[in-house]
Amino acid sequence: MDAMLVIRHHIVTPPEPDALLQHLLQLCTYHIEVKPLASGRSGAVSGEICVHLGPSMKDTNEHVIPRTSALQYRLTESSAVFFDEGTSAGVL
């Protein structure tokens, strides 16, 4: 049986994850990290997104997006636009 469960969890006391998040990270197959820009708010960029493998993933050849290569995104009224860092001018 194949199934997927997506859990959205906010860290309320950054930078330390709470016990629930630590437990969920030990069980996950993928961990998608969405963060605001470290440099602050921008009109062209809303934040960054990374994809990490979790301990449950057996195939280490899966494609991930490490923090060093994080995709940036901009939220619009109806969707999100994703782009590589430094290329936001191409999506405006």
Side-chain angles (χ1 to χ4, degrees):
M1 178 171 142
D2 290 329
M4 178 185 303
L5 174 64
V6 176
I7 299 172
R8 181 177 166 189
H9 185 81
H10 291 272
I11 299 174
V12 293
T13 55
E16 295 298 321
D18 57 34
L20 175 60
L21 181 59
Q22 290 176 354
H23 184 70
L24 291 171
L25 289 174
Q26 293 302 312
L27 300 173
C28 70
T29 304
Y30 293 99
H31 167 220
I32 300 173
E33 179 181 11
V34 180
K35 300 174 85 171
L37 284 180
S39 60
R41 186 151 169 81
S42 165
V45 181
S46 300
E48 300 179 325
I49 186 168
C50 312
V51 179
H52 310 283
L53 293 179
S56 297
M57 174 51 79
K58 305 296 185 225
D59 183 4
T60 58
N61 293 324
E62 287 287 325
H63 181 69
V64 297
I65 303 171
R67 193 172 290 123
T68 56
S69 302
L71 284 178
Q72 293 186 333
Y73 68 93
R74 179 173 54 93
L75 297 176
T76 66
E77 290 183 22
S78 60
S79 67
V81 180
F82 298 92
F83 44 89
D84 290 326
E85 183 177 359
T87 62
S88 65
V91 299
L92 297 177

